[in-house]
């Protein structure tokens, strides 16, 4: 399959790279890293990265603004998007050839060619491993290494999560051989505005423990975000906070969107929770998923489900 994808890259003169909506560092890292690789390897080709710009992740660069005509004979590569509804810019369907590259569970297979490896930490690691393989013609450069590295850092929680493998560390080490300010960029990504700091204080003061202290949750309203002059996308730095409390096994951040929809960012230290997210208009990784809830009753149902798996996990692993 990789050979077919590499052949398609050679064959097409126009290549358009997509990723998922509300991008995280891995979505942008894999997208912009691949763009830099293809521009380095094939300077005569037209390479574009599309989707909405996210000012909070500006270090990855700006998206391209292209018209529909560019898709006519284009190769479209979609990175880090498990299902079709979450692809940013639905024009991906207009291309001549479609490729899916991802590391989420493959519940929505799509594309003419596809590589999906849930066992890998990130789509950035997947692409970096392909590019760094000397048997392939793709050329790494400093910009691509920077993007892939930041994508790996993002999806491993700075190498904290158990999706970090020896291979992950080896690839990150290879990327660090290139010339980019890794330490400065990581420090910058860990820096927050005073408004984000106040949001963290709100989370610490207002999170709620349930299910014998194994589940933690917090609700972040649009009114609160507006009072802090923050957007829903700027809440990413508080996602892990409820999980830092002793005894918590699963947790969720409920974040009200501008359209009134409640986005649920669900996390786990042990039990799989993506099957729960799938029951609430969502999905994702076993221990990091997203969902949507549409009522207080559904919010309570989601918390109860997280409580069931958290208590079962505690009994199994801690002899409760």
């Amino acid at each position: 399959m990789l050979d077919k994808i590499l052949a398609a890259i050679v064959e097409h003169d126009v290549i358009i790279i997509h990723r998922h909506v509300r991008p995280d560092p891995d979505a942008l890292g894999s997208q912009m890293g691949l763009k830099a690789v293809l521009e380095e390897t094939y300077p005569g080709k037209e390479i574009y990265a599309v989707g909405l710009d996210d000012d909070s992740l500006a270090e990855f660069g700006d998206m391209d603004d292209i018209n529909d005509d560019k898709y006519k004979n284009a190769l479209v590569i979609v990175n880090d998007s498990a299902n079709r509804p979450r692809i940013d810019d639905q024009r991906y369907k207009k291309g001549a050839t479609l490729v899916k590259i991802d590391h989420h569970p493959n519940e929505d297979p799509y594309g003419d060619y596809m590589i999906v490896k849930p066992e890998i930490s990130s789509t950035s690691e997947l692409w970096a491993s392909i590019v760094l393989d000397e048997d392939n013609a793709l050329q790494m450069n400093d910009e691509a290494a920077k993007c892939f590295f930041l994508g790996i850092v993002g999806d491993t929680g700075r190498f904290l999560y158990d999706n970090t493998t020896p291979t992950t560390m080896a690839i990150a080490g290879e990327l660090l051989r290139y010339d980019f300010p890794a330490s400065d960029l990581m420090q910058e990504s860990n820096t927050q505005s005073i408004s984000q700091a106040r949001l963290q204080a709100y989370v610490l003061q207002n999170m709620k423990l349930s299910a014998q202290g194994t589940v933690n949750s917090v609700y972040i309203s649009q009114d609160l975000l507006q009072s802090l002059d923050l957007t829903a996308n700027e809440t990413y730095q508080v996602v892990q906070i409820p999980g830092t409390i002793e005894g918590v096994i699963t947790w969720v951040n409920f974040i009200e969107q501008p359209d009134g929809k409640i986005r649920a960012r669900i996390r786990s230290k042990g039990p799989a929770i993506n099957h729960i997210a799938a029951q609430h208009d969502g999905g994702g990784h076993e221990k990091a998923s997203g969902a949507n809830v549409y009522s207080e009753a559904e919010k309570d149902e989601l918390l109860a489900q997280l409580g069931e798996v958290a208590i079962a996990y505690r009994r199994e692993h801690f002899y409760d």
Side-chain angles (χ1 to χ4, degrees):
M1 188 62 71
L2 176 60
D3 289 341
K4 292 178 180 179
I5 292 170
L6 295 177
I9 290 173
V10 172
E11 177 185 341
H12 289 79
D13 293 326
V14 178
I15 302 171
I16 305 171
I17 310 167
H18 289 243
R19 39 74 180 165
H20 63 71
V21 296
R22 296 185 296 273
D24 56 12
D26 185 35
L28 287 171
S30 60
Q31 181 186 35
M32 301 305 284
L34 178 60
K35 180 184 180 183
V37 164
L38 296 180
E39 288 176 335
E40 178 77 14
T41 310
Y42 303 106
K45 294 183 184 292
E46 296 181 50
I47 314 296
Y48 301 104
V50 299
L52 293 177
D53 280 303
D54 188 330
D55 293 339
S56 67
L57 294 169
E59 65 269 23
F60 290 99
D62 297 327
M63 298 293 103
D64 296 308
D65 184 12
I66 62 175
N67 60 44
D68 291 0
D69 293 341
K70 290 293 183 183
Y71 284 86
K72 185 175 181 181
N73 296 306
L75 170 65
V76 176
I77 301 175
V78 179
N79 284 339
D80 202 40
S81 189
N83 53 62
R84 283 167 279 195
R86 293 198 71 229
I87 299 173
D88 195 342
D89 196 332
Q90 289 287 302
R91 293 181 298 171
Y92 78 90
K93 306 170 188 175
K94 296 179 179 290
T97 305
L98 179 62
V99 172
K100 175 184 181 180
I101 306 292
D102 192 28
H103 75 126
H104 297 88
N106 196 21
E107 297 175 358
D108 181 14
Y110 60 84
D112 300 292
Y113 308 117
M114 175 174 51
I115 297 177
V116 178
K117 294 193 173 185
E119 69 275 15
I120 290 182
S121 75
S122 55
T123 305
S124 294
E125 179 185 336
L126 177 50
W127 267 119
S129 69
I130 293 170
V131 178
L132 289 169
D133 186 340
E134 294 180 355
D135 291 337
N136 300 322
L138 299 177
Q139 299 296 309
M140 187 71 74
N141 62 17
D142 296 338
E143 179 65 19
K146 178 199 80 174
C147 291
F148 289 144
F149 180 80
L150 292 177
I152 293 170
V153 168
D155 254 26
T156 59
R158 294 170 175 264
F159 308 107
L160 173 67
Y161 307 150
D162 63 5
N163 61 358
T164 305
T165 68
T167 301
T168 306
M169 300 300 287
I171 289 174
E174 286 298 311
L175 294 173
L176 284 172
R177 295 179 183 275
Y178 290 82
D179 186 14
F180 64 94
S183 179
D184 290 346
L185 288 167
M186 291 178 72
Q187 289 285 1
E188 183 179 335
S189 70
N190 200 40
T191 301
Q192 59 186 328
S193 67
I194 188 64
S195 291
Q196 288 172 315
R198 287 172 176 151
L199 179 62
Q200 287 197 16
Y202 175 88
V203 170
L204 288 168
Q205 291 176 335
N206 292 275
M207 54 193 179
K208 297 179 180 179
L209 289 168
S210 61
Q212 302 175 29
T214 62
V215 180
N216 204 357
S217 66
V218 66
Y219 182 84
I220 299 172
S221 70
Q222 273 294 305
D223 286 344
L224 172 65
L225 292 176
Q226 290 173 12
S227 72
L228 294 173
D229 195 25
L230 294 173
T231 66
N233 286 345
E234 292 176 290
T235 61
Y236 63 91
Q237 286 189 320
V238 303
V239 172
Q240 300 299 329
I241 290 177
T244 63
I245 304 304
E246 183 179 7
V248 169
I249 295 173
T250 62
W251 65 99
V252 55
N253 291 250
F254 294 108
I255 302 167
E256 184 182 8
Q257 305 297 305
D259 61 2
K261 182 186 294 184
I262 307 301
R263 182 70 177 165
R265 290 173 172 163
I266 312 168
R267 300 293 185 266
S268 168
K269 292 179 184 175
I273 44 81
N274 55 340
H275 66 287
I276 296 174
Q279 297 174 46
H280 298 277
D281 188 24
H285 301 291
E286 285 192 352
K287 299 178 186 178
S289 292
N292 297 290
V293 297
Y294 298 92
S295 66
E296 282 296 316
E298 186 174 8
K299 191 168 78 167
D300 291 342
E301 179 186 9
L302 174 58
L303 289 170
Q305 291 171 312
L306 292 176
E308 289 177 6
V309 297
I311 290 172
Y313 181 85
R314 187 174 71 178
R315 286 173 178 164
E316 180 180 353
H317 292 271
F318 300 102
Y319 311 102
D320 217 17

